């Protein structure tokens, strides 16, 4: 059975594009435009992974991650983060928030595919 | 500043409200100065007195002054050493040098190095002292205002470029994704010509992305404003983190990424900057290494330093271009297989960052034989000995 990815992205068009792309990778896709929407969707659907866009300027994204992890209480669900900023974060910090990978926007589709598969510990398809 | 939006240290235009520090070891000279200052436009100004450099520095550290009037020959210091110490401690206070007839050359030198004026003892007319102090304070205030205004503008420029860079990424991500969705046939198969046109589109989107990546770098390059925050750094952890961060990218490019996994001596460096440098070098190495190639991140101790290396089995750099790779804006020759060019700033900034941490960044390479980028950072020898039993 294919895995479900919850895309949390506030830009409508990018969310649509990512949805199409992830479906082409063979994933089921659920969508949310913000943290609050993400929580209610996540509670209903129990996604296997969250693709989270935290493209906010300023800071290193950790404050945002903190807010999201509290909001979503998704302990145990792997998170792949899309960011507008180059992250220089440490592995322990990534692990603390369950973040498997940081990708910089615009994400290279092959990198995205590899990051999702690695986060879900799947052998890479194709 | 014109709109008064920011409040800085209060400006005192009224000379009678100045706060002055007199640094003079001769009691009679000090008395004469006080007498002169207590008449005329500076009457009413707060006058404090120190007779040694040490006492002066203590007062300067404890309070804010509008001007420091200083003799350079003090019991605990002499000549330029006095001057340097006073200027370093004076903050935004104007420094006026008091000199004997024989020391005019020294005093002149002081003005070149930051004093606002000098006054020759015993050869002043009434009013000279007051005028010199008032105008020195005024000029120093202007310098301070200029510096603050420049800092404000630079901060604003930083914020603006950062904001622009982030804002541009979103529509860029949309264009990139939708172009590649078309190209991958998600909305139906394309014919050869359509695919060709689309490939031009995608290549230019990649170029835009690289240029935006460099937009922030361009802002920082050549300025000393990137803070270096040195600390004791675990190099082995940095190597491991970098290798982990680039794992997926290397895998999808079919390039083997190795790193030295053993323990390494500690170094003194800014870990954030070292991550940036390693990221830049590994990114370049992956960019220029074809499938089935290899990139290795390694480090080994040398005398007093830890030498880091990022080695690749890529196309290499020819002898003519090699000395130029660290130039600002230098870019490798455009090649069809390399679609991302950016602004060519990466190595220029990296070398600057390495140097400011006490090391050096060098490149060795040959066409067809790969490239090795190598940089050094000082070992944390003292830290090691402190951590002993």
């Amino acid at each position: 059975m294919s895995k479900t990815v919850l895309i949390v992205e506030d830009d409508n068009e990018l969310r649509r594009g990512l949805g199409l792309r992830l479906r082409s990778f063979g994933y089921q896709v659920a969508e949310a435009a913000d943290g609050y929407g993400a929580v209610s969707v996540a509670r209903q659907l129990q996604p296997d992974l969250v693709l989270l866009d935290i493209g906010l300027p300023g800071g290193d994204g950790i404050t945002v991650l903190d807010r999201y992890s509290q909001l979503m209480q998704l302990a145990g669900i792997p998170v792949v983060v899309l960011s507008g900023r180059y992250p220089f974060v440490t592995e322990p910090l990534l692990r603390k928030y369950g973040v498997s990978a940081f990708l910089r926007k615009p994400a290279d589709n092959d990198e995205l595919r590899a990051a999702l598969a690695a986060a879900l510990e799947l052998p890479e398809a194709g | 500043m014109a709109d008064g939006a920011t409040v800085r240290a209060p400006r005192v235009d009224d000379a009678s409200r100045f706060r002055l520090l007199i640094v003079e070891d001769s009691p009679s000279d000090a008395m004469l100065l006080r007498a002169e200052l207590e008449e005329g436009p500076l009457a009413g100004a707060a006058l404090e007195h120190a007779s040694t450099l040490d006492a002066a520095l203590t007062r300067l550290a404890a309070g804010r002054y509008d001007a420091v009037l200083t003799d350079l020959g003090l019991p605990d210091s002499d000549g330029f050493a006095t001057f340097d110490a006073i200027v370093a401690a004076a903050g935004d206070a104007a420094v006026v040098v008091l000199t004997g007839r024989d020391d005019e050359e020294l005093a002149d030198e002081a003005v070149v190095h930051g004093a606002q004026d000098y006054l020759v003892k015993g050869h002043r007319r009434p009013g000279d002292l007051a005028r010199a102090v008032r105008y020195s304070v005024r000029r120093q205030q202007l310098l301070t205002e200029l510096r603050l205004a420049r800092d404000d503008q630079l901060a604003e420029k930083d914020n603006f470029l950062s904001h622009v860079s982030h804002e541009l990424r979103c529509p860029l991500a949309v264009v990139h994704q939708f172009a590649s969705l078309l190209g991958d046939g998600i909305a139906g198969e394309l014919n050869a010509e359509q695919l060709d046109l689309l490939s031009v589109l995608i290549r230019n989107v990649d170029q835009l992305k690289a240029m935006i990546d460099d937009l922030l770098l361009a802002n920082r390059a050549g300025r000393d404003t990137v803070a270096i925050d040195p600390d004791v750094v675990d190099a082995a952890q940095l190597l491991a983190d970098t290798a982990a961060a680039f794992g997926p990218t290397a895998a999808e490019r079919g390039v083997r990424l190795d790193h030295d996994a053993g323990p390494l001596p500690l170094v003194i460096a800014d870990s954030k900057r070292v991550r940036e440098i390693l990221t830049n070098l590994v990114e370049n190495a992956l960019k220029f290494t074809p499938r089935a190639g290899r990139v290795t991140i390694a480090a080994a101790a040398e005398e007093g330093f830890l030498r880091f290396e990022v080695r690749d089995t890529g196309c290499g750099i020819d002898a003519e271009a090699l000395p130029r790779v660290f130039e600002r804006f230098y870019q490798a020759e455009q090649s069809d297989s390399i679609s991302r060019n950016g602004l060519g700033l990466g190595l220029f900034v990296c070398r600057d960052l390495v140097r400011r941490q006490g090391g050096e960044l060098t490149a060795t390479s040959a066409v067809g034989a790969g490239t090795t980028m190598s940089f050094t950072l000082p070992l944390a020898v003292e830290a090691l000995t402190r951590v002993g039993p």
Side-chain angles (χ1 to χ4, degrees):
Chain A
M1 208 189 88
S2 59
K3 305 279 184 173
T4 303
V5 177
L6 170 58
I7 302 174
V8 187
E9 166 61 64
D10 63 338
D11 183 278
N12 297 333
E13 288 170 336
L14 189 53
R15 194 172 65 246
R16 180 183 166 203
L18 284 170
L20 287 167
R21 177 57 66 185
L22 263 55
R23 284 189 188 97
S24 82
F25 292 158
Y27 295 111
Q28 306 252 49
V29 168
E31 297 179 19
D34 57 40
Y36 296 102
V39 169
S40 58
V41 170
R43 283 192 183 139
Q44 287 180 326
L45 292 180
Q46 300 293 319
D48 298 293
L49 180 145
V50 173
L51 178 61
L52 172 63
D53 185 342
I54 60 164
L56 296 170
D60 55 9
I62 295 308
T63 327
V64 181
L65 271 178
D66 209 25
R67 210 169 68 219
Y68 270 102
S69 76
Q70 284 173 29
L71 194 60
M72 302 181 83
Q73 292 154 12
L74 294 177
I77 301 185
V79 178
V80 170
V81 167
L82 278 178
S83 170
R85 178 173 258 285
Y86 218 127
F88 298 111
V89 295
T90 64
E91 228 179 272
L93 211 49
L94 289 179
R95 271 185 256 121
K96 175 184 174 190
Y97 293 109
V99 174
S100 300
F102 260 82
L103 296 169
R104 209 173 179 196
K105 273 157 75 169
D108 183 286
N109 286 316
D110 293 320
E111 280 180 43
L112 181 59
R113 174 191 230 138
L116 294 176
L120 290 165
E121 284 157 21
L122 296 173
E124 266 195 72
Chain B
M1 290 315 194
D3 64 351
T6 326
V7 175
R8 304 290 184 179
R11 273 262 306 268
V12 184
D13 290 324
D14 180 0
S16 68
R17 289 165 57 211
F18 282 176
R19 194 167 166 214
L20 308 177
L21 176 64
I22 298 169
V23 187
E24 172 59 71
D25 63 330
S26 152
S28 53
D29 284 349
M31 235 170 53
L32 282 170
L33 279 170
R34 271 189 187 275
E36 272 186 78
L37 291 168
E38 274 158 10
E39 297 188 352
L42 285 161
L47 301 176
E48 294 177 37
H49 176 224
S51 48
T52 61
L53 176 64
D54 203 51
L57 295 179
T58 305
R59 283 186 186 262
L60 287 172
R64 196 194 73 82
Y65 295 88
D66 297 291
V68 182
L69 281 62
T70 182
D71 185 349
L72 295 186
L74 297 170
D76 56 345
S77 176
D78 209 13
F80 235 77
T82 310
F83 175 71
D84 279 341
I86 300 262
V87 162
D92 291 328
V95 176
V96 176
V97 170
L98 304 165
T99 183
R101 203 68 213 268
D102 301 332
D103 289 332
E104 269 199 71
E105 221 178 277
L106 180 66
D108 206 40
E109 193 63 22
V111 170
V112 169
H113 286 96
Q116 282 294 347
D117 205 346
Y118 72 83
L119 293 159
V120 180
K121 296 186 193 180
H123 285 81
R124 293 196 288 275
R125 292 167 308 182
D128 277 358
L129 177 62
R131 182 169 63 247
V133 170
R134 276 166 53 227
Y135 292 165
S136 294
V137 169
R138 178 70 180 125
R139 284 193 302 270
Q140 192 67 37
Q141 281 172 347
L142 283 174
L143 280 178
T144 302
E145 275 174 37
L146 277 175
R147 177 176 55 82
L148 294 172
R150 188 205 65 189
D151 288 348
D152 277 349
Q153 285 177 337
L154 287 175
E156 229 181 90
K157 185 174 79 131
D158 273 344
N159 287 339
F160 175 68
L161 281 177
S162 182
H163 178 75
V164 164
S165 162
H166 296 135
E167 290 297 304
L168 287 174
R169 277 182 207 286
C170 198
L172 194 62
V174 174
V175 173
H176 185 271
Q177 188 60 260
F178 280 75
S180 64
L181 284 169
L182 275 176
D184 291 344
I186 306 287
E189 284 304 308
L190 300 187
N191 65 40
E193 197 187 352
Q194 287 168 335
L195 284 172
D196 181 45
L197 295 183
L198 204 54
S199 75
V200 173
L201 203 155
I202 292 178
R203 191 165 66 244
N204 277 271
V205 170
D206 285 341
Q207 168 72 355
L208 273 174
K209 175 182 185 288
M211 290 170 87
I212 291 172
D213 284 350
D214 280 355
L215 193 58
L216 286 174
L217 267 185
N219 185 41
R220 288 161 42 188
R223 284 205 285 121
D224 228 26
T225 56
V226 175
I228 300 286
D229 199 7
D231 201 347
V232 177
V233 169
D234 178 2
Q237 186 64 54
L238 292 183
L239 292 199
D241 288 348
T242 309
F246 280 97
T249 311
E252 91 73 28
R253 292 177 82 98
V255 171
R256 181 168 151 191
L257 178 61
D258 292 329
H259 74 282
D260 275 359
L264 291 169
L266 300 170
V267 293
I268 300 290
D270 183 332
S271 65
K272 252 190 140 179
R273 303 299 156 219
V274 182
R275 279 179 204 283
E276 267 186 56
I277 295 161
L278 283 171
T279 295
N280 215 291
L281 296 181
V282 173
E283 217 172 26
N284 279 349
L286 287 173
K287 186 157 80 173
F288 290 97
T289 301
R291 296 199 93 82
R294 182 204 285 208
V295 171
T296 309
I297 316 172
E302 289 182 350
E303 210 176 290
F305 288 93
L306 186 64
R307 178 172 292 280
F308 295 77
E309 281 188 352
V310 176
R311 299 189 287 263
D312 69 60
T313 60
C315 53
I317 306 166
D318 69 52
E320 210 180 280
L322 192 55
R324 302 189 53 207
V325 293
F326 296 109
E327 282 174 19
R328 190 173 171 172
F329 302 128
Y330 176 79
Q331 300 197 59
E333 285 292 303
Q334 185 116 19
S335 147
D336 280 338
S337 66
I338 298 163
S339 56
R340 292 153 32 131
N341 272 348
L343 298 173
L345 275 163
L347 289 179
F348 175 79
V349 171
C350 282
R351 189 179 61 170
D352 180 55
L353 287 174
V354 168
R355 281 177 174 168
R356 289 174 61 211
Q357 295 176 84
E360 187 58 67
L361 173 62
T362 52
T364 45
S365 184
V367 174
T371 301
T372 297
M373 300 300 296
S374 170
F375 67 97
T376 51
L377 289 174
L379 289 174
V381 177
E382 280 183 13
L384 286 174
T385 56
R386 262 208 304 277
V387 161

